[in-house]
Amino acid sequence: MPLGKLESGVSAARPNINPVIQQDALADLDSAVADFERDQLLWASGYLAGLAVARATSPAQRPVAPAEAPAPASSTEPAAPWTVLYATETGNSRFVAQELAEAMSAAGQTAKLVDARDYRPATLKQERQLLLVVATHGLGDPPEGTEAFFEYLLGSRAPRLPQLSFAVLALGDSSYEDFCEAGRQVDARLAELGAVRLLPRVECDLDFESDADAWTKRVVEQARARDGVHIAPVHTLRAAPTAPSYSRRHPFQAELLTNQKLTGRGSSKDVRHVELSLEDSGLSYQPGDSLGVVANNPAPLVEQFLEYLGESPSADVSIGQEALTLGEALRSRLELTNATRSFVQAHARNSASADLAALADDPRALAKYLKSNQIIDILRQYPAALSAQQLVASLSKLTPRLYSIASSLDANPDEAHLTVAVVSYTRDGYAHFGAASNFLAAGPSTVPVYVEPNDHFRLPQDSAAPIIMVGPGTGIAPFRAFVEQRRHQAAVGKSWLFFGDRTRRNDFLYQLEWQRYLKEGALTRLDVAFSRDQAEKVYVQHRLRERGAQVYAWLMDGAHVYVCGDAEHMAGDVHQALLDIVAEHSGRSADHAVSLLSDLKTQGRYQRDVY
Amino acid sequence: MSDPSNKPVTEVEDIKARSAHLRGTLAESLADPVTGSIAPDDTQISKFHGIYQQDDRETRVERTKQKLEPDYSFMIRARVPAGICTPAQWLALQQIAADHSNGELRLTTRQAVQLHGVLKGDLRTTMRRINDALLDTFAACGDVNRNVGCTPLAENAEVHRRASRWAARISEHLTPRTRAYHEIWLAGSPLPGNEPEHEPIYGATYLPRKFKIALAIPPLNDVDVFAQDLGFIAVERFGKLIGFNVAVGGGMGMSHGEPATYPRLADVIGFCSPAASVAVAEAVVKIQRDFGDRTDRKHARLKYTIDDRGLDWFVDELGRRGVHLRAAVPVDFEQTGDRFGWSEDSDGLWHATLYVPGGRVVDNEKTRLQTGLSAIARILKGEFRITPNQNLIISRIEDTQKEEIQRLITEHGLDLWRDAAPVRRNALACVALPTCGLAMAEAERYLPQFIGKVEELLARHGLSEQDLLVRITGCPNGCARPYLADVGLVGKAPGRYNLMLGGGAVGARLNQGYRENLSEERIVDELDRLLADFVGNRDSGEPFSDYLHRAGILESQPHG
Ligand code: SRM
Ligand SMILES: Cc1cc2nc3c(=O)[nH]c(=O)nc-3n(C[C@H](O)[C@H](O)[C@H](O)COP(=O)(O)OP(=O)(O)OC[C@H]3O[C@@H](n4cnc5c(N)ncnc54)[C@H](O)[C@@H]3O)c2cc1C
Ligand SMILES: Cc1cc2nc3c(=O)[nH]c(=O)nc-3n(C[C@H](O)[C@H](O)[C@H](O)COP(=O)(O)O)c2cc1C
Ligand code: SF4
């Protein structure tokens, strides 16, 4: 169907409904399912999807099927291949997608795993069965580096996709206003383009694992159902990538070698340099990768929960089927700081609070509230006489935290270094703790870790290419790895670091090392912005602007630009600064700047790792 | 004795020569954002501008582990000729200290004022504000003439007025001429006009070493005139200042284990009229410029120039430069300590000499010097005078203000002199730790505790009213002039001091090394024993130091 028609088919009354179906047909369908429970609706959607597939396989119904489309499933032919596409920034979606691909292979399906950043959108037309795992970042934005895919899919160039069956798993964090927005958009748009939804979209919160597992199971079941009774022989088109031996599920117990405070006595912050041993783990990483830390909750925080409950740590509770003590559950199993929407809902019930229930239903208010309220704050603000089990049941699973690796493995064999800002503050008279950062700062003898690769935050292949690194605060971490790596390689490429923090005196992370690298030439330039060293606030973007002419000259000279650190303000401000710099110094329009930066992104010359 | 002829000049001489009249690369150093320090060479040049780079020695090791550079900050010394400043200047200094330093003004043994803990980023603003207050810091340190001291209080107001004016004139006359100070700190960029600069008195490499001048008005020798490179001793006849006895070649600094370095008392070489004092000062400075040893900074003070060539040579050299002195006039000194509390001068104006422990203008449980002094400064019609004993005089108080100021003094607990025993309020200690980079042991922070021990000893021996002069320095450089004390403690290592005994004769007799490298316990033991001996065997009215000499416990010296 031509695009124009598609658009005109959108009825004003029901703009969000799939336009491939006629208004009255849709009304019939609505009434047919009007009495269905949620589960029944879900089942029906799968049923209908099955019908669709069955019809699509009859030759008469396949006018748009591409020539190389796989043969219809039958008991004698191999099943149609699946593409598992993920859009990730911090690796969760990749993790889920990997497990899915493996499960599909194990079930005899042919499954190909692809990163949305590497995916050529034009191949969508050829896809038959697409499974998408999509994370949301920024403020409801797609993950860094996947913009091109999203622009194509959501834009007017996207083709009709009636041949396609799909399912979307959306990853997000309900403490953001635009929960799972990227996943929602992909899901809606594919349907809009005529693709057939195999399963309703599932939205996962921070504790995505159990929902993702359940979804994976259902996808596999669907795949089997689509094959009919046939059990395909166990073979895969392409071996699913070998999962690292250690993962978020099976972290490596890394020995803590160093836990050194980096901020001076007069600092208002506590930032740690943490060195971990990877000896005998077989783990390896590249500069740009992160380390996942599977922390235990800090003891004083667990204490606050026990106090709230008035329970002893030895009380019996269960998580799912597993029986364990309350102390153990709070210490190592449950998320005690970051609240999710489902926790807010559960606690609204437990505390019989209409206010809290209303809050859970207002994404904007909820997002704002959760930004500065931890679980313990919610418990205190909405007191409830909870049993230990009630509380445990309302909490989600403890999620690992990521930290950019601050070292080069070549320069520090068998080690991984982190730069950790310790989250701790007092509110309403209570000490508050960030779970993982305090776990690390307390100096445990071992730290459970896994490597979270980030292929989209990499030094240039060409070690002679200049690099510009913008890393205020703990954003400095990967750049320590970059510079160590380039120094180790005796790379000739110029390097320019922009760092910022509160004061030069006490917050200049790795100051002595930068001074040495500058002297040695391993670092070509260093510009610093210390916001509290003068009356007016100065940040890295101001320094970039001050040096605009040279920044532009470096860019024209082939420099790669890296930005790491705060996502909320910094990344946007730096982006704007770069746009303005390009516009000003190229002497061309703002549009030119936009397209130049987006070209740089596409070429991998503008990479960001922001959190 | 070194032979200057075939030894290369010191590195500092090269730095000065390269500095383009004290500019160095200070402007670049200030602009370097990656460090809170200035370039190593510039740390020499900055001194001429009154600025010392320091770092917190207590956090050095810790910060290295934190991958942070040392906690650099700067000490700024404002020049206050004769120690006199107006209430407006005082208020400005207090405010500048509050805004840009560790908050505390520190009065020095040369009647100047120091700010500690100024960060590099605040240097320029601080310097500008000091300048706005009509003070400067130029030549407060460095190889030039330093703050010119003068006895801050005399019964004869006219004599004090004239003497202090001469101090200011000498100071002014010997101030370097380079525009570097103005350029770097005030203008922030090179000044227009590029006529070559000329230092008529100093030349391009200034002096081989620091140079110090002070004027004493007998009977007070509070400035320790014999510890100066050049001392002027006021001579008064019929209530008028008729001139000065001239003393040359004093100095305190020495180094442990280096016998070629030593403290030395200045020699009185004659008398000059008041008006000639400026010319005398210039000639003495120029001799030192031409003959001082530029090959060894430990041998570069005037005292060594004189000892190497002889006093006669020196007097002849003065003559060759047109300075002919008359015979010195005999004068008598009575004390080196301050006269605390209220006194009235010949003009009928009042002066209140306050005891400022450690020279620190602070608010604490015992006293509210900061608040009290600013309250006084806001109303005072007179002036403030800093004493060479790190104390402060509220000066030239009119009758009409006396009561109110007395009330403010009491209200803010500024009358610490009342309860402090003589041994405490006369004692002196240098800054030392944590800021002084040369300190080997505590001094200022340790003094109150040590005095407590001495008070106990004195009480035990029935000597509570004994006026024993105790001075402590953290190293042998002698910033609190410890070699002139009855009991001098000179830092050797943390908690260890050389015990010096037998000075204390109104600043005209050096003490002697008695025991080395002692702990507090050992020092107290030694003093206990000696005091017992003293109480048993002294002649009536005999001072402790005199007794030590007479009893042969110390060998007698030519001076004294
Ligand atoms: C503040 C003050 C001591 C005090 O507690 O008041 C002081 C403090 C320092 N003196 Fe001094 N001197 C101070 C009076 C003296 C005196 C006493 C005097 O001049 O009447 C002496 C002994 C007299 C003399 O010069 O011989 C003195 C002899 C030294 C020396 C040894 C000089 C020598 O030629 O032997 C040094 C080290 C040096 O110059 O190399 C020194 C160096 C220093 C420095 C600047 C350390 C340095 O070079 O890094 C100290 C700064 C410490 C700090 O953190 O503030 N200071 N210094 C006095 C400031 C006077 C002023 O306002 O100008
Ligand atoms: C790719 C990536 C790389 C990262 N790299 C680094 C790194 O190199 N270094 C680093 O330190 N971190 C890094 N982070 C962040 C890190 O993963 C953690 O989020 C961070 O350390 C906090 O975790 P926590 O468990 O200590 O705190 P949590 O237990 O997660 O607690 C944080 C919560 O506390 C509350 N909170 C925190 N501060 C306040 C406050 N001032 N007022 C009110 N409420 C507050 C908020 O609700 C917040 O959500 C990275 C994150 C990502 C995604
Ligand atoms: C900087 C940042 C911004 C985020 N913004 C959102 C958001 O707007 N909406 C949302 O639902 N989740 C948001 N999230 C949560 C992520 O979607 C969630 O952590 C997800 O598990 C990440 O998946 P990934 O590891 O595959 O990138 C954000 C996470 C980060 C680190
Ligand atoms: S005597 Fe030594 S320790 Fe004391 S201030 Fe002077 S140089 Fe520093």
Side-chain angles (χ1 to χ4, degrees):
Chain A
M1 196 190 286
L3 205 69
K5 223 170 185 177
L6 172 108
E7 279 168 351
S8 62
V10 177
S11 105
R14 312 190 62 163
N16 293 330
I17 295 302
N18 191 330
V20 296
I21 199 159
Q22 295 294 315
Q23 227 11 277
D24 12 342
L26 190 59
D28 288 348
L29 185 58
D30 276 354
S31 70
V33 299
D35 293 338
F36 278 23
E37 294 286 343
R38 186 167 181 269
D39 284 348
Q40 292 172 305
L41 277 173
L42 291 181
W43 179 88
S45 68
Y47 172 78
L48 293 172
L51 284 183
V53 173
R55 288 191 196 162
T57 52
S58 78
Q61 296 289 321
R62 283 197 291 117
V64 291
E68 71 274 31
S74 81
S75 53
T76 53
E77 282 169 293
W82 296 82
T83 297
V84 179
L85 186 66
Y86 60 88
T88 187
E89 184 161 329
T90 57
N92 293 342
S93 304
R94 173 176 42 226
F95 174 80
V96 172
Q98 264 168 5
E99 298 220 317
L100 173 62
E102 280 163 41
M104 292 290 272
S105 305
Q109 302 290 322
T110 307
K112 186 169 137 205
L113 187 65
V114 192
D115 186 336
R117 285 186 264 211
D118 306 330
Y119 190 76
R120 281 187 39 236
T123 43
L124 267 178
K125 285 197 295 276
Q126 281 113 58
E127 297 288 354
R128 304 294 306 281
Q129 309 186 106
L130 185 60
L131 301 169
L132 299 106
V133 186
V134 177
T136 299
H137 281 268
L139 296 173
D141 302 323
E144 191 74 28
T146 64
E147 295 88 346
F149 173 76
F150 276 80
E151 271 162 30
Y152 177 85
L153 184 65
L154 301 178
S156 52
R157 277 161 52 221
R160 296 274 306 148
L161 299 166
Q163 88 292 353
L164 182 69
S165 306
F166 75 97
V168 172
L169 182 73
L171 266 64
D173 175 345
S174 60
S175 69
Y176 284 89
E177 196 178 321
D178 298 310
F179 179 52
C180 289
E181 182 61 24
R184 289 178 185 177
Q185 286 181 1
V186 170
D187 186 57
R189 181 59 171 162
L190 286 173
E192 197 175 62
L193 294 172
V196 177
R197 205 182 265 114
L198 287 175
L199 285 174
R201 177 182 73 250
V202 169
E203 296 179 350
C204 302
D205 212 331
L206 271 188
D207 55 336
F208 62 87
E209 279 169 88
S210 52
D211 286 341
D213 284 353
W215 180 79
T216 301
K217 264 200 201 110
R218 296 192 44 212
V219 170
V220 173
E221 279 163 17
Q222 276 281 330
R224 285 203 170 118
R226 287 160 64 83
D227 281 355
V229 288
H230 165 76
I231 304 288
V234 180
H235 71 107
T236 50
L237 181 71
R238 165 189 181 276
T242 40
S245 41
Y246 293 103
S247 68
R248 51 187 291 145
R249 283 190 209 220
H250 310 287
F252 170 69
Q253 293 291 334
E255 188 192 340
L256 181 81
L257 302 173
T258 303
N259 166 22
Q260 172 63 54
K261 196 168 181 239
L262 289 174
T263 38
R265 285 189 192 189
S267 177
S268 51
K269 298 193 197 169
D270 180 353
V271 178
R272 301 298 176 99
H273 174 69
V274 171
E275 297 185 358
L276 299 165
S277 168
L278 301 182
E279 209 174 328
D280 300 330
S281 67
L283 285 174
S284 77
Y285 63 84
Q286 292 181 52
D289 289 344
S290 296
L291 205 65
V293 170
V294 186
N296 285 330
N297 285 306
L301 181 60
V302 170
E303 206 48 53
Q304 292 188 7
F305 275 76
L306 290 171
E307 224 163 80
Y308 182 88
L309 285 173
E311 280 280 4
S312 106
S314 58
D316 294 324
V317 293
S318 63
I319 298 175
Q321 304 299 309
E322 188 189 356
L324 71 176
T325 65
L326 176 62
E328 186 54 23
L330 293 176
R331 193 177 69 85
S332 65
R333 300 303 191 78
L334 299 170
E335 178 65 43
L336 297 190
T337 50
N338 294 306
T340 57
R341 180 159 177 263
S342 75
F343 168 78
V344 174
Q345 287 169 327
H347 194 64
R349 284 193 299 277
N350 286 341
S351 61
S353 164
D355 288 356
L356 199 55
L359 188 63
D361 285 334
D362 178 348
R364 180 180 299 242
L366 183 69
K368 194 161 165 242
Y369 176 74
L370 292 184
K371 194 161 276 174
S372 56
N373 286 285
Q374 294 189 340
I375 292 174
I376 192 79
D377 299 313
I378 302 172
L379 291 173
R380 288 189 183 122
Q381 287 159 26
Y382 299 90
L386 296 180
S387 71
Q389 184 57 41
Q390 254 179 317
L391 177 71
V392 166
S394 69
L395 295 172
S396 46
K397 261 184 75 186
L398 183 52
T399 43
R401 313 291 202 257
L402 291 185
Y403 294 92
S404 312
I405 297 179
S407 53
S408 142
L409 190 57
D410 290 336
N412 306 272
D414 286 335
E415 289 180 12
H417 303 174
L418 309 178
T419 314
V420 179
V422 181
V423 174
S424 79
Y425 56 99
T426 303
R427 246 196 76 174
D428 306 332
Y430 290 101
H432 283 62
F433 308 92
S437 54
N438 281 278
F439 167 74
L440 288 167
S445 54
T446 60
V447 178
V449 300
Y450 60 95
V451 170
E452 190 60 66
N454 185 354
D455 282 336
H456 298 271
F457 203 75
R458 286 282 183 260
L459 276 167
Q461 293 276 302
D462 176 6
S463 67
I467 55 176
I468 297 177
M469 302 166 282
V470 184
T474 53
I476 194 85
F479 302 133
R480 183 173 179 269
F482 277 20
V483 175
E484 277 189 4
Q485 182 72 18
R486 281 203 150 189
R487 180 168 175 265
H488 182 82
Q489 299 170 335
V492 295
K494 293 190 295 178
S495 53
W496 188 353
L497 175 64
F498 288 86
F499 174 71
D501 214 302
R502 288 186 181 159
T503 69
R504 175 171 61 201
R505 191 178 183 187
N506 290 309
D507 305 298
F508 196 159
L509 306 180
Y510 302 107
Q511 181 184 31
L512 288 176
E513 295 184 1
W514 302 126
Q515 287 178 350
R516 194 176 77 224
Y517 294 156
L518 274 175
K519 204 174 276 170
E520 290 175 2
L523 182 64
T524 316
R525 297 188 62 157
L526 172 55
D527 276 286
V528 285
F530 294 105
S531 59
R532 301 197 178 173
D533 277 357
Q534 59 283 307
E536 69 288 3
K537 294 263 187 279
V538 177
Y539 300 109
V540 279
Q541 61 267 24
H542 298 118
R543 294 289 180 244
L544 276 165
R545 287 174 192 274
E546 282 168 22
R547 308 271 181 266
Q550 289 113 308
V551 169
Y552 184 71
W554 278 53
L555 283 179
M556 292 303 99
D557 215 22
H560 292 227
V561 183
Y562 302 87
V563 181
C564 181
D566 172 61
E568 201 177 329
H569 302 293
M570 187 276 292
D573 294 343
V574 165
H575 185 73
Q576 190 56 49
L578 290 172
L579 283 174
D580 294 347
I581 287 169
V582 171
E584 182 184 342
H585 296 281
S586 66
R588 295 179 57 186
S589 65
D591 287 350
H592 167 73
V594 171
S595 79
L596 187 124
L597 284 195
S598 100
D599 286 353
L600 288 184
K601 268 198 175 172
T602 318
Q603 297 160 24
R605 274 181 53 201
Y606 176 23
Q607 303 187 346
R608 305 199 297 182
D609 191 13
V610 295
Y611 45 87
Chain B
M1 190 174 97
S2 59
D3 174 6
S5 55
N6 51 21
K7 266 174 66 183
V9 298
T10 62
E11 207 196 324
V12 179
E13 292 299 321
D14 289 335
I15 294 172
K16 287 187 279 188
R18 280 199 305 267
S19 75
H21 289 289
L22 307 182
R23 287 174 179 79
T25 56
L26 268 173
E28 290 88 331
S29 276
L30 291 178
D32 182 355
V34 170
T35 173
S37 69
I38 57 179
D41 283 3
D42 289 332
T43 62
Q44 293 300 333
I45 298 304
S46 73
K47 294 183 188 178
F48 290 81
H49 299 256
I51 297 173
Y52 276 79
Q53 176 172 305
Q54 304 187 317
D55 73 272
D56 182 357
R57 298 178 56 184
E58 275 156 20
T59 56
R60 264 184 208 172
V61 177
E62 170 183 317
R63 287 177 65 95
T64 306
K65 287 194 201 141
Q66 292 176 324
K67 305 177 193 286
L68 289 169
E69 68 181 8
D71 191 3
Y72 292 113
S73 65
F74 295 83
M75 180 269 274
I76 300 181
R77 192 180 283 164
R79 201 158 52 121
V80 190
I84 300 174
C85 67
T86 65
Q89 288 172 328
W90 180 269
L91 274 177
L93 284 172
Q94 281 212 337
Q95 195 55 51
I96 295 167
D99 293 347
H100 302 295
S101 80
N102 66 1
E104 302 169 358
L105 291 180
R106 171 64 156 71
L107 311 180
T108 76
T109 56
R110 295 193 67 76
Q111 302 172 267
V113 181
Q114 288 186 178
L115 279 74
H116 286 100
V118 179
L119 299 183
K120 186 168 86 170
D122 285 340
L123 272 180
R124 210 172 244 145
T125 316
T126 310
M127 298 291 274
R128 283 185 186 155
R129 289 183 62 184
I130 291 173
N131 188 69
D132 290 345
L134 305 181
L135 288 164
D136 70 41
T137 68
F138 195 27
C141 328
D143 296 342
V144 283
N145 175 56
R146 307 287 188 90
N147 199 39
V148 178
C150 177
T151 298
L153 187 54
E155 259 168 52
N156 186 328
E158 178 61 15
V159 169
H160 175 265
R161 187 156 42 241
R162 288 184 175 273
S164 58
R165 275 195 199 151
W166 286 114
R169 288 248 197 114
I170 294 167
S171 172
E172 176 54 34
H173 187 71
L174 296 178
T175 303
R177 297 285 176 258
T178 170
R179 294 184 302 263
Y181 184 83
H182 195 87
E183 254 177 44
I184 295 170
W185 306 110
L186 309 178
S189 61
L191 295 171
N194 47 2
E195 71 274 24
E197 275 172 331
H198 179 56
E199 291 284 8
I201 297 178
Y202 292 112
T205 52
Y206 299 83
L207 295 182
R209 201 69 163 86
K210 58 174 68 163
F211 192 90
K212 298 178 171 180
I213 302 177
L215 284 60
I217 307 177
L220 287 184
N221 185 20
D222 45 7
V223 296
D224 274 325
V225 74
F226 301 112
Q228 312 293 323
D229 292 277
L230 172 58
F232 290 101
I233 301 162
V235 178
E236 186 185 329
R237 283 291 176 271
F238 315 112
K240 287 220 149 47
L241 177 72
I242 60 161
F244 301 103
N245 282 346
V246 177
V248 294
M252 294 279 98
M254 57 167 279
S255 303
H256 287 309
E258 296 185 36
T261 66
Y262 46 83
R264 184 184 189 279
L265 291 179
D267 294 295
V268 175
I269 56 169
F271 172 90
C272 71
S273 72
S277 60
V278 176
V280 170
E282 179 179 330
V284 174
V285 162
K286 283 176 163 172
I287 295 175
Q288 169 63 358
R289 175 196 68 192
D290 297 341
F291 294 97
D293 184 354
R294 291 182 188 262
T295 69
D296 179 1
R297 290 187 65 82
K298 288 192 169 169
H299 188 259
R301 293 291 292 272
L302 179 65
K303 61 185 174 181
Y304 302 115
T305 313
I306 291 177
D307 277 354
D308 290 351
R309 296 171 187 263
L311 196 57
D312 293 342
W313 165 84
F314 186 82
V315 174
D316 290 349
E317 186 60 36
L318 268 182
R320 279 192 284 281
R321 290 167 193 252
V323 172
H324 303 280
L325 301 175
R326 282 179 270 156
V329 182
V331 291
D332 280 324
F333 285 119
E334 283 171 10
Q335 73 178 82
T336 58
D338 291 332
R339 292 177 168 160
F340 292 102
W342 288 93
S343 55
E344 191 181 6
D345 69 21
S346 54
D347 286 350
L349 293 173
W350 291 91
H351 305 264
T353 303
L354 309 181
Y355 164 45
V356 181
R360 292 270 170 199
V361 181
V362 289
D363 279 2
N364 59 30
E365 325 71 67
K366 291 197 192 113
T367 178
R368 285 156 59 219
L369 281 157
Q370 264 174 12
T371 322
L373 288 172
S374 28
I376 290 169
R378 276 194 286 273
I379 60 154
L380 178 64
K381 297 214 181 78
E383 63 198 25
F384 287 103
R385 295 180 188 167
I386 301 159
T387 84
N389 289 302
Q390 304 166 340
N391 293 314
L392 190 67
I393 308 174
I394 308 166
S395 267
R396 300 180 58 79
I397 304 168
E398 293 173 9
D399 258 336
T400 51
Q401 285 205 306
K402 190 180 175 217
E403 219 168 287
E404 188 175 6
I405 289 185
Q406 174 61 64
R407 187 180 57 75
L408 288 169
I409 288 175
T410 322
E411 192 180 303
H412 294 92
L414 309 187
D415 48 0
L416 295 172
W417 78 83
R418 290 185 201 282
D419 296 330
V423 69
R424 184 175 291 273
R425 64 190 199 191
N426 287 331
L428 210 49
C430 70
V431 179
L433 293 168
T435 52
C436 178
L438 307 174
M440 304 174 181
E442 296 280 352
E444 182 190 320
R445 297 194 297 192
Y446 171 55
L447 183 75
Q449 176 188 330
F450 181 69
I451 293 293
K453 300 279 173 189
V454 175
E455 281 172 345
E456 277 170 34
L457 283 177
L458 292 175
R460 176 148 14 112
H461 295 286
L463 295 168
S464 286
E465 288 310 303
Q466 183 78 24
D467 200 351
L468 196 67
L469 183 59
V470 177
R471 290 178 174 177
I472 306 182
T473 57
C475 85
N477 282 326
C479 296
R481 302 183 288 267
Y483 309 111
L484 295 167
D486 290 305
V487 176
L489 264 54
V490 175
K492 190 93 201 264
R496 291 285 185 285
Y497 299 86
N498 287 355
L499 176 58
M500 317 287 299
L501 295 174
V506 293
R509 179 172 63 204
L510 290 174
N511 55 22
Q512 296 172 28
Y514 178 69
R515 293 277 187 276
E516 288 199 353
N517 214 12
L518 300 189
S519 64
E520 175 180 271
E521 199 187 350
R522 291 280 315 281
I523 295 169
V524 171
D525 281 353
E526 294 288 353
L527 289 178
D528 194 18
R529 209 169 42 73
L530 291 169
L531 285 170
D533 199 20
F534 169 60
V535 170
N537 302 305
R538 66 175 159 172
D539 289 343
S540 92
E542 187 178 27
F544 179 58
S545 289
D546 288 3
Y547 168 75
L548 295 178
H549 286 281
R550 183 177 60 82
I553 295 166
L554 300 172
E555 55 180 276
S556 281
Q557 282 184 320
H559 283 288

